[in-house]
Each structure stands twice: as structure tokens, then as C-alpha cells.
């Protein structure tokens, strides 16, 4: 019995080939890809081979997870064939040598249909062994013509490259396990009722009356993390959009409980808008015109035209669009210029001590004047003193929210607040 017999029982339990190999529903990209493609290019360059690839062993198939060859070559990434076919498994089992300088001189190679169909004139293959001892698959390369010069030096190089590949696959498996663990945490949190929604009042400064509430998420479960950390973990685990949509749905179930003059705003990522999942939720509301989507300054937008097009049917429902955290960075100005928001929210870093800081006042005044020029409402966040509120009123800022006015409230307290303020 060779050390490779019983291989099927040694196969790793990591994600299948291609699970992280390309951007998917949540935009995840294989962190090993760049390094592996570099290895394959180096194999071809240093050994003078026509095709190099990683063959990943699954239960009954092998997947050509990474391929490096000329355009229109015989293999392509993610192509599959039965595990029993071809050279790879036979090399691992010891039925074929790792180094075959001339396939025409080896009867076992000639019995493989691909030898003449491709053709394969010379072939090198070594196992990719993971840290736990399991066989991930093989690192292989071949040339269309025989190459009698292939020998011990080339095999040392192949084994060294295979070790590099194994390290990257171990890293990828560890990352995948971490993502799966984080996704379980998020699913469990949602099953336990998280997040809890609280409502922070937004005041009209001139009227000193509540006109809206911002819906905020709170997580009262273990592990203890602030809300932004929960959403970051969910996003990195591939569960960001479900958690975000879940929080929005929970918040908007209370919309009809608030007085008609009060609207609700919810934080929303560009990715969720582009996913198309929001429209069914928002179109089912009795008064969607009382909802505002806040796009944060920190959200990265790759294609503003696509985002604007995805927002169009929501805006047709009467949904408002706000750009959050304006003044905190360059991205907020790009959001404003490209999305023409109904509301611009001044970041708390701009509001803080604005009555004592001429530079903050100048920037806030400029943003407010610009907002009014494009018919946008301005809301100042993070107001914590009467002096700040007074200065914001002098700068013609329309609305404000912050601890000086009211802290985030539980639903029943928010409903009572909306009736009395």
C-alpha cells in the first residue's frame, strides 16, 4: 500500500474549487488567485512548458482551478473532468512518474486519451499537500512536444512551487473557515432577534419640532461588538446584504405607527440598492414617500450611473435619498454630485464645536448654500450643545439631530416623543 492509497478519505474539507475564485453575490475574490497565477506563469517561463495548471481533487471530479496557457489553449479555468481521467490522480497514486520527458516512450501515458488528443509530449506533475497532510490536488505542466532535458532540477523546482501553492491554499482555507464562522454568528444574531432598532429624532431647527427619525441598529448579544463592527463582520463573511436588508425591514415595520408628518430614514449601502432586493420591500409600504435611504460617505461606489439607475424606481415610489457624513471626506462630494440627493447630512466632525471654529463654519456654510442651490435639505448630525445648535441656525442649516436634542429611543418612547415634540 502506497502512502497515497485511501486518498479519497484524505481530501480536505475546505471550500470546493471556484468557491472563492471569482466575484460572486457578495463580491468576494479569491485572495490566493494573484499569487497562484504568478506561480503558474513562472513554471511555464522557467521550464519552457506550454500549459501549467492547478488540478483540485474533489470527490469524483478534478477541477482545473487555475490555468496558464496561450489563448485558445486546451484548458480553461474551472473546466472539470472525472478524477479518474488524465494524469493527475495516477501520478499521486504512483501509477505514473512525476516527470515524463517523453510520453511516447511510456506505455501507461500512451493509454491516456489526452496524450494524443491534446497532444501531450512531456508532462510534470507534483502533489499539492496541505498543512494537515491532505492532498489538495496537483501542480502540473506539460508541453506539446517531448523535452528530454527534463529531470531532477526541474522536479526540485516543481516541488518548491507546489509548497508555495499549498501555503496559499491553506491561507485561503483559513480565511474561508473564518468567514463561515462569522456568517454563523450573524445568522444566529438574526435568529435571536438582532438587531434591535432604536430611533433618533431629527428636529426642524426653525420650528423646533420633530420631523423625522433615523433608524439605528443595536446588538445586545454576544460577542459584544458595536453596530458598525457587526455590519463589517457580516459584509466580510458574505452575509452583509441579508443583515442590512433584515435591519431595514425591522425598522420599517413601525412606519405606520408614527404620525404622518414623521418620516423614517434607514442606512443603506450602494450594494444593497444595486442588488434589487430593496424595491419589493419598499413598494409594499403604504406610504413609501415617508422613507429616506441614507447612503454613507464611506460606501465605495464603482459605477454611479448604475447606482442612479437602480435608485430611479425607488425614487419613483417617493423614496428620498440622503448622502450621509458630508464633510468627512472626498467620497461624500462625489455622492452628492452624482446622486443629486434630497438630503445632505453634515458629519458630526463638522458640527462639533462649530460655534468656536471658523473653518468649520465656513465649510458648513458652503455645503449648506450648495445644498440649497440644488434643492437639498441639510441635516446636521452630532449636535451636543445649545451653542452648536444656535450657530447651525445662523448658518441656515435646516435640521439637526444629536444628544443635545434627544438620544436614540426605543420604539414606544419614540412614538410618544413624536406625539409631544
Amino acid at each position: 500500500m502506497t502512502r497515497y492509497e485511501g486518498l479519497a478519505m484524505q481530501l480536505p474539507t475546505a471550500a470546493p474549487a471556484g468557491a472563492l475564485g471569482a466575484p460572486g453575490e457578495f463580491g468576494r475574490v479569491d485572495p490566493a488567485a494573484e499569487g497562484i497565477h504568478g506561480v503558474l506563469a513562472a513554471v511555464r517561463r522557467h521550464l519552457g512548458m506550454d500549459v501549467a495548471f492547478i488540478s483540485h481533487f474533489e470527490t469524483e471530479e478534478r477541477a482545473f482551478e487555475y490555468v496558464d496557457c496561450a489563448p485558445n489553449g486546451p484548458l480553461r479555468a474551472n473546466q472539470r473532468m472525472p478524477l479518474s481521467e488524465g494524469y493527475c490522480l495516477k501520478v499521486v497514486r504512483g501509477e505514473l512518474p512525476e516527470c515524463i520527458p517523453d510520453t511516447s516512450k511510456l506505455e501507461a501515458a500512451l493509454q491516456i486519451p489526452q496524450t494524443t488528443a491534446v497532444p501531450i509530449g512531456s508532462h510534470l506533475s507534483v502533489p499539492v499537500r496541505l498543512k494537515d497532510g491532505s492532498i489538495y490536488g496537483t501542480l502540473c505542466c506539460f508541453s506539446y512536444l517531448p523535452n528530454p532535458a527534463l529531470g531532477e532540477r526541474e522536479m526540485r523546482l516543481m516541488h518548491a512551487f507546489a509548497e508555495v501553492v499549498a501555503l496559499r491554499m491553506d491561507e485561503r482555507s483559513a480565511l474561508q473557515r473564518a468567514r463561515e464562522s462569522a456568517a454563523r454568528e450573524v445568522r444566529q444574531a438574526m435568529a435571536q432577534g438582532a438587531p434591535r432598532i432604536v430611533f433618533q429624532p431629527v428636529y426642524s431647527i426653525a420650528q423646533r419640532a420633530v420631523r423625522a427619525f433615523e433608524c439605528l441598529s443595536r446588538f445586545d448579544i454576544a460577542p459584544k461588538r458595536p453596530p458598525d463592527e457587526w455590519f463589517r463582520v457580516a459584509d466580510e463573511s458574505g452575509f452583509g446584504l441579508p443583515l442590512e436588508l433584515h435591519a431595514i425591514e425591522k425598522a420599517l415595520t413601525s412606519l405606520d405607527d408614527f404620525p404622518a408628518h414623521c418620516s423614517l430614514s434607514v442606512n443603506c449601502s450602494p450594494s444593497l440598492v444595486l442588488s434589487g432586493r430593496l424595491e419589493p420591500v419598499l413598494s409594499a409600504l403604504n406610504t413609501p414617500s415617508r422613507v429616506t435611504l441614507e447612503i454613507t460617505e464611506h460606501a465605495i461606489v464603482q459605477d454611479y450611473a448604475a447606482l442612479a439607475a437602480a435608485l430611479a424606481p425607488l425614487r419613483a415610489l417617493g423614496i428620498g435619498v440622503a448622502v450621509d457624513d458630508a464633510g468627512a471626506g472626498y467620497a461624500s462630494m462625489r455622492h452628492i454630485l452624482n446622486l443629486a440627493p434630497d438630503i445632505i447630512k453634515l458629519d458630526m466632525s463638522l458640527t462639533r464645536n462649530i460655534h468656536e471654529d471658523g473653518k468649520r463654519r465656513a465649510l458648513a456654510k458652503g455645503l449648506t448654500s450648495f445644498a440649497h442651490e440644488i434643492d437639498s435639505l441639510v441635516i446636521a448630525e452630532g449636535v451636543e450643545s445649545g451653542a452648536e445648535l444656535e450657530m447651525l441656525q445662523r448658518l441656515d442649516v435646516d435640521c439637526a439631530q444629536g444628544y443635545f436634542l434627544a438620544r436614540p429611543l426605543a420604539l414606544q418612547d419614540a412614538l410618544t416623543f413624536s406625539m409631544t415634540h
Side-chain angles (χ1 to χ4, degrees):
M1 177 176 178
T2 71
R3 58 178 173 161
Y4 299 114
E5 289 177 19
L7 176 66
M9 293 187 293
Q10 298 182 41
L11 293 178
T13 58
L20 297 173
E25 181 182 8
F26 303 103
R28 298 292 159 219
V29 178
D30 182 355
E34 183 176 352
I36 299 302
H37 287 305
V39 167
L40 296 182
V43 167
R44 289 187 62 204
R45 182 170 63 252
H46 289 293
L47 302 184
M49 307 302 272
D50 294 303
V51 180
F53 61 92
I54 304 295
S55 176
H56 175 49
F57 292 0
E58 299 177 354
T59 305
E60 297 181 354
E61 291 184 316
R62 60 181 176 126
F64 300 101
E65 192 170 16
Y66 302 93
V67 175
D68 189 282
C69 63
N72 302 316
L75 295 180
R76 64 183 184 276
N78 296 319
Q79 185 177 344
R80 296 170 180 269
M81 69 166 52
L83 186 59
S84 59
E85 295 183 8
Y87 285 64
C88 297
L89 184 58
K90 293 178 176 62
V91 171
V92 169
R93 286 177 170 172
E95 298 168 7
L96 286 174
E98 293 182 343
C99 179
I100 308 176
D102 187 345
T103 59
S104 68
K105 296 181 179 180
L106 185 65
E107 182 61 29
L110 291 174
Q111 292 177 2
I112 298 174
Q114 290 83 3
T115 300
T116 53
V118 173
I120 299 174
S122 55
H123 188 278
L124 302 178
S125 179
V126 295
V128 175
R129 184 180 292 277
L130 300 180
K131 183 169 55 178
D132 63 4
S134 64
I135 301 296
Y136 182 84
T138 52
L139 167 63
C140 306
C141 61
F142 64 81
S143 176
Y144 303 132
L145 299 174
N147 184 353
L150 297 177
E152 184 178 348
R153 183 190 72 86
E154 288 74 21
M155 293 314 299
R156 286 200 301 269
L157 191 62
M158 286 288 287
H159 280 282
F161 279 133
E163 289 183 12
V164 173
V165 171
L167 286 172
R168 298 309 298 265
M169 295 308 176
D170 277 320
E171 291 171 359
R172 189 178 75 170
S173 295
L175 179 59
Q176 178 67 8
R177 288 193 297 272
R179 286 176 176 169
E180 291 171 352
S181 175
R184 283 194 299 272
E185 284 185 354
V186 174
R187 287 195 297 269
Q188 290 170 0
M190 292 168 61
Q192 294 174 36
R196 174 173 58 90
I197 306 299
V198 294
F199 303 82
Q200 184 166 34
V202 177
Y203 273 80
S204 166
I205 296 178
Q207 298 172 355
R208 290 294 199 273
V210 174
R211 61 169 294 157
F213 288 84
E214 180 179 1
C215 305
L216 302 169
S217 294
R218 296 292 183 262
F219 293 81
D220 306 317
I221 61 174
K224 293 295 183 182
R225 297 189 185 106
D228 60 336
E229 279 294 297
W230 270 103
F231 282 100
R232 181 190 62 78
V233 168
D235 185 59
E236 292 179 354
S237 72
F239 221 74
L241 297 192
L243 177 60
E244 191 178 347
L245 186 62
H246 177 67
I248 290 174
E249 288 179 311
K250 285 195 71 174
L252 296 183
T253 57
S254 305
L255 178 62
D256 290 341
D257 296 329
F258 284 89
H261 69 275
C262 286
S263 62
L264 296 183
S265 65
V266 292
N267 288 281
C268 178
S269 70
S271 296
L272 183 57
V273 175
L274 290 165
S275 74
R277 300 181 184 187
L278 265 179
E279 186 171 3
V281 174
L282 298 176
S283 61
L285 298 173
N286 292 325
T287 53
S289 59
R290 293 171 57 207
V291 175
T292 298
L293 302 179
E294 293 191 17
I295 309 296
T296 69
E297 187 273 344
H298 307 289
I300 296 172
V301 177
Q302 302 289 351
D303 186 341
Y304 277 104
L307 179 57
L311 283 170
L314 306 182
R315 289 182 132 167
L317 293 172
I319 302 293
V321 173
V323 168
D324 200 7
D325 304 327
Y330 175 66
S332 61
M333 293 309 301
R334 293 185 65 197
H335 290 358
I336 291 168
L337 292 173
N338 286 281
L339 300 178
D342 306 288
I343 296 172
I344 295 175
K345 300 192 73 173
L346 303 183
D347 186 71
M348 65 177 61
S349 64
L350 188 59
T351 302
R352 191 66 40 80
N353 296 321
I354 193 170
H355 59 293
E356 298 177 345
D357 191 323
K359 295 187 293 296
R360 283 182 167 83
R361 287 196 297 275
L363 181 54
K365 179 63 176 177
L367 285 171
T368 300
S369 297
F370 173 79
H372 291 163
E373 281 289 325
I374 63 172
D375 295 323
S376 294
L377 189 79
V378 180
I379 299 176
E381 297 183 290
V383 178
E384 294 191 353
S385 72
E388 291 173 350
L389 185 63
E390 181 181 350
M391 179 55 66
L392 291 167
Q393 184 170 17
R394 289 170 56 188
L395 295 174
D396 294 326
V397 173
D398 302 293
C399 299
Q401 65 184 95
Y403 284 2
F404 175 73
L405 297 164
R407 289 176 175 268
L409 304 168
L411 176 59
Q412 291 304 318
D413 293 332
L415 294 176
T416 300
F417 199 90
S418 68
M419 300 290 189
T420 57
H421 292 74

